[in-house]
Amino acid sequence: MNTDNRPVVAVLAVLLLASTRVSAASTEAVAPRSAAMVAAPAVRVLLDDALALHRRGETESALARYREAASLGDANAQFNAAVIRLSGDSESLPLSEALVLLRRSAEQGYPPAEYALATALENGLWMPRNLSTANDWYERAAGHGHAQAQLAIGLAFYLGRGRQYDPVSAARWLERAAASDEVTAQYMVASMYESGTGVARDLRQALDWYAAAARGGDIAAREKAREVAERIAAEQAAEQPAQ
């Protein structure tokens, strides 16, 4: 088991920053049967306090508020409390409790927690490595609209990594991630349309996705877009009747 959390700290830190922008209403929508619904106003107050404290750098006080909201069953709070510990911002929360909170949040269907748990399982961080179970969690998060999870499970199907090779499923998930501006997914989808892997060959779709990836900063995609545009023009010219 890898006990060095450095490879995933950046991922978790980003997830923490993103999740703190989730409103209490959004959290309730994710976990409508959670205990947080019983005391929703109290949970909203705790989350607002925790966010304000965290932004001021008062990590321990923020963690205390998140733990209190987590005890009421709030998935957002469970996730944030776990991430504060796992990212190394605080060690006052026992690691074992942080992992329990992360799993509880994921089990409520909270996408950032599902993705973080999958990342930990894939890399063997704080728990035994289990690629198959990691992909289960990636797929759950992907189904809940998490773009990075859609990319991860799409690549798993494309590479046959912890999933049976399935280019059709790969294309389906990668295209959903691409639609959320995941540049790697945009390039992958473009190449699949170009080659007809998992989808019907379609150079115009390939061109559109290479162009999208290029706009997102992928330098190789810029050249590929030029090449595909030239191929489309050549195929169109070849279809013209001779004068």
Side-chain angles (χ1 to χ4, degrees):
M1 185 190 309
N2 181 6
T3 57
D4 184 352
N5 67 359
R6 285 174 297 179
V8 81
V9 163
V11 173
L12 292 175
V14 169
L15 287 171
L16 172 62
L17 292 174
S19 69
T20 54
R21 293 193 294 269
V22 177
S23 68
S26 298
T27 303
E28 291 162 13
V30 170
R33 297 184 183 277
S34 74
M37 289 297 291
V38 178
V43 169
R44 281 195 290 269
V45 170
L46 288 168
L47 291 175
D48 288 345
D49 285 351
L51 177 56
L53 289 164
H54 190 259
R55 284 176 171 169
R56 293 202 299 267
E58 298 178 40
T59 304
E60 294 300 331
S61 296
L63 177 57
R65 299 296 195 283
Y66 281 131
R67 291 180 74 177
E68 187 174 350
S71 71
L72 296 173
D74 185 80
N76 185 343
Q78 290 166 345
F79 172 73
N80 277 287
V83 171
I84 286 175
R85 171 62 178 88
L86 298 177
S87 63
D89 286 349
S90 171
E91 294 189 354
S92 62
L93 179 68
L95 177 60
S96 59
E97 184 178 339
L99 294 174
V100 167
L101 289 174
L102 178 62
R103 184 171 290 276
R104 285 178 180 169
S105 181
E107 288 172 348
Q108 290 199 69
Y110 191 58
E114 293 171 325
Y115 179 75
L117 181 57
T119 301
L121 284 162
E122 181 184 8
N123 293 281
L125 297 161
W126 312 293
M127 59 191 70
R129 185 174 186 270
N130 189 321
L131 187 55
S132 177
T133 303
N135 282 330
D136 290 342
W137 284 108
Y138 279 135
E139 196 157 8
R140 285 183 61 168
H144 291 145
H146 195 288
Q148 289 172 294
Q150 291 165 351
L151 172 61
I153 194 62
L155 288 173
F157 279 118
Y158 184 83
L159 299 171
R161 186 178 64 195
R163 281 288 189 269
Q164 184 174 351
Y165 172 68
D166 182 348
V168 174
S169 293
R172 183 178 73 251
W173 285 119
L174 289 170
E175 194 153 7
R176 289 179 66 177
S180 295
D181 295 327
E182 282 289 333
V183 174
T184 299
Q186 291 172 335
Y187 189 97
M188 289 292 300
V189 170
S191 70
M192 295 176 84
Y193 274 113
E194 182 182 8
S195 63
T197 302
V199 292
R201 183 176 179 273
D202 187 328
L203 289 183
R204 290 190 178 279
Q205 285 273 23
L207 176 58
D208 287 346
W209 285 117
Y210 278 133
R215 289 193 298 273
D218 191 304
I219 297 174
R222 194 176 309 159
E223 179 61 22
K224 287 294 296 184
R226 184 188 64 78
E227 292 177 7
V228 171
E230 290 177 354
R231 286 169 61 188
I232 291 173
E235 290 184 5
Q236 289 176 334
E239 292 172 358
Q240 295 298 318
Q243 299 296 323

